[in-house]
Amino acid sequence: MTVTPAIEADVLRRQDPELADILLGERERQATTLQLIAAENFSSPAVLAALGSPLANKYAEGYPGARHHGGCEIVDVAERLAVERAKALFGADHANVQAHSGSSAVLAAYAALLRPGDTVLALGLPYGGHLTHGSPANFSGRWFDFVGYGVEAESGFVDHEQVRTLAHTRRPKAIVCGSIAYPRHLDYAFFREVADEVGAYLIADAAHPLGLVAGGAAPNPVPYADIVCGTTHKVLRGPRGGVILCRAELAERVDRAVFPFTQGGAQMHTIAAKAVAFGEAATPAFAAYAHQVVANARVLAARLAAEGLVVTTGGTDTHLITADPAPLGVEGRAARGRLAAAGLVLDCCALPHGDARGLRLGTAAITTQGMGEAEMIRIAGLFAGVLRGVTDPSRAREEVRELAGGFPPYPA
Ligand SMILES: *Cc1c(COP(=O)(O)O)cnc(C)c1O
């Protein structure tokens, strides 16, 4: 079976060869370079099949059994299935599977709990907070009074003392824990305790680790947070989208914050694909995957450190690694460019100390391809060679192509 039937179908080739070439070109790029962007993954053929299905045609404003459109009896079953699977997977009282993205999930969480002007305590953007955690360029920074906590400059770990002090002095209405670049588990019990001390809501933005939670490879924020926001496309390996989990008492507020407050019609093809992904994530194979993701990241982090990069917090508990390449004689942005030229695709990120940019990478996608610890060692060696300028760039590119070729993300 081919994986992207809609792409390769003669239909598209005949009708729009220009677009067919673009899609096949991207498929080729993904198969011949290494996707080390920590937020990316390869969703399964079944997820892609649901995404490319006629459910995409259906208008379905509202919730199952209470829609504003006719003809929803079949998509209602799909949404109920997605909700039930999400609740079972994460042990949540309630799940909303309509959020179009991780950012939409966070917007809805704020809408459910806050009023414009409220104070919110979140990890500061220079330390790995997301745009929705108070960036002045984002609705969050414009509509709420964000106070940022940080990480300890030396260790890179969350500064728990600062969290508690800021909570007591600034009295936020909500505390947000979650990050785009934090490689360690968060202490959800600690955040719950501080939130209780000051009467604040706790919102866990678990966009990154939610897939590890599903696989039992990271702590579950659901028992601690009032609302948990997540994405379904990162380690969780489903379609691009968001999910919100909460206690029963907040179910109606959360649902109304998604529709009608911040969104219109639900994307039923994506919701069906989320149901598929939640089903996959409940299997022993996925648990093994999640644990391998972390094992791979630990080996990769240790090897990068051995090559001389400064790994933030000295390692990782998750799929995610951040590191400063400066000791190899190259700063973050230039390093990202050199690595990309070799086919090693990753991001820059802030570092806990100073203004220099670091590198952020993750093992979710390459582990889906079946790579293991031996490949991590090879990748770390490639990194060091490219960054030190000792490996010829075209030779490095060939080596990456050969390595990727041994682990095709999709069957041919
Ligand atoms: C990825 C991410 C988001 C946003 O997800 P999108 O689907 O890109 O909108 C929000 N918060 C955190 C912590 C993230 O890592």
Side-chain angles (χ1 to χ4, degrees):
M1 194 195 86
T2 49
V3 168
T4 42
I7 297 174
E8 285 170 284
D10 288 343
V11 186
L12 187 54
R13 267 201 197 272
R14 250 183 320 208
Q15 184 183 314
D16 196 336
E18 193 180 358
L19 199 70
D21 281 349
I22 293 168
L23 298 185
L24 291 169
E26 172 60 11
R27 184 178 158 168
E28 171 84 0
R29 186 196 69 79
Q30 291 183 15
T32 57
T33 56
L34 292 183
Q35 314 315 313
L36 298 166
I37 291 177
E40 292 187 359
N41 211 331
F42 293 104
S43 49
S44 71
V47 166
L48 293 181
L51 277 177
S53 74
L55 273 72
N57 300 328
K58 188 71 199 91
Y59 234 113
E61 280 185 354
Y63 289 96
R67 302 284 191 185
H68 296 267
H69 300 95
C72 289
E73 56 280 0
I74 293 173
V75 292
D76 276 4
V77 181
E79 183 164 345
R80 286 200 178 100
L81 193 59
V83 167
E84 288 312 313
R85 286 181 179 177
K87 284 163 59 179
L89 191 58
F90 299 106
D93 293 345
H94 180 70
N96 183 300
V97 297
Q98 290 195 7
H100 296 326
S101 68
S103 299
S104 309
V106 177
L107 170 58
Y110 296 166
L113 301 179
L114 306 174
R115 307 284 300 171
D118 279 347
T119 298
V120 184
L121 182 59
L123 185 63
L125 268 60
Y127 307 105
H130 185 256
L131 280 172
T132 54
H133 303 172
S135 162
N138 182 263
F139 76 90
S140 55
R142 176 111 40 109
W143 294 345
F144 302 104
D145 170 28
F146 267 85
V147 179
Y149 55 88
V151 296
E152 296 167 355
E154 280 296 299
S155 70
F157 281 83
V158 167
D159 188 340
H160 286 145
E161 211 169 302
Q162 190 192 21
V163 173
R164 178 167 267 132
T165 305
L166 286 173
H168 282 266
T169 52
R170 301 299 297 271
R171 295 271 152 184
K173 184 88 174 287
I175 299 175
V176 178
C177 58
S179 168
I180 60 170
Y182 194 63
R184 297 296 182 168
H185 295 322
L186 289 170
D187 185 348
Y188 297 118
F190 163 79
F191 281 99
R192 177 75 263 167
E193 194 179 293
V194 173
D196 286 342
E197 285 166 14
V198 299
Y201 289 111
L202 179 62
I203 299 171
D205 183 358
H208 267 278
L210 200 64
L212 297 177
V213 174
N220 187 354
V222 165
Y224 300 99
D226 296 290
I227 297 183
V228 175
C229 301
T231 60
T232 47
H233 52 276
K234 294 181 181 174
V235 187
L236 192 50
R237 214 161 66 177
R240 188 155 295 280
V243 59
I244 308 173
L245 307 162
C246 68
R247 291 184 284 106
E249 307 90 272
L250 292 174
E252 205 186 319
R253 277 161 80 180
V254 163
D255 282 351
R256 297 192 66 76
V258 175
F259 175 86
F261 195 73
T262 58
Q263 290 189 180
Q267 301 192 345
M268 298 316 304
H269 58 311
T270 306
I271 288 172
K274 288 174 186 176
V276 174
F278 295 142
E280 291 176 353
T283 61
F286 190 89
Y289 162 73
H291 285 87
Q292 188 62 48
V293 165
V294 176
N296 281 350
R298 288 214 163 106
V299 170
L300 188 53
R303 286 293 168 142
L304 291 175
E307 294 287 0
L309 288 91
V310 181
V311 173
T312 310
T313 76
T316 181
D317 298 329
T318 65
H319 62 299
L320 192 149
I321 300 163
T322 72
D324 186 355
L328 275 60
V330 54
E331 66 79 43
R333 275 204 185 81
R336 178 180 65 174
R338 275 193 218 172
L339 291 164
L344 298 160
V345 185
L346 43 66
D347 297 313
C348 283
C349 68
L351 290 169
H353 49 84
D355 299 328
R357 303 288 288 172
L359 298 172
R360 181 189 76 151
L361 60 158
T363 53
I366 54 178
T367 305
T368 293
Q369 286 176 273
M371 293 191 196
E373 291 159 38
E375 286 72 35
M376 300 306 116
I377 292 167
R378 230 181 124 184
I379 291 169
L382 277 162
F383 253 71
V386 168
L387 294 183
R388 287 209 178 86
V390 300
T391 309
D392 173 59
S394 61
R395 250 214 54 214
R397 180 71 194 89
E398 270 324 296
E399 210 177 314
V400 167
R401 191 185 298 276
E402 186 255 320
L403 175 58
F407 298 88
Y410 296 111

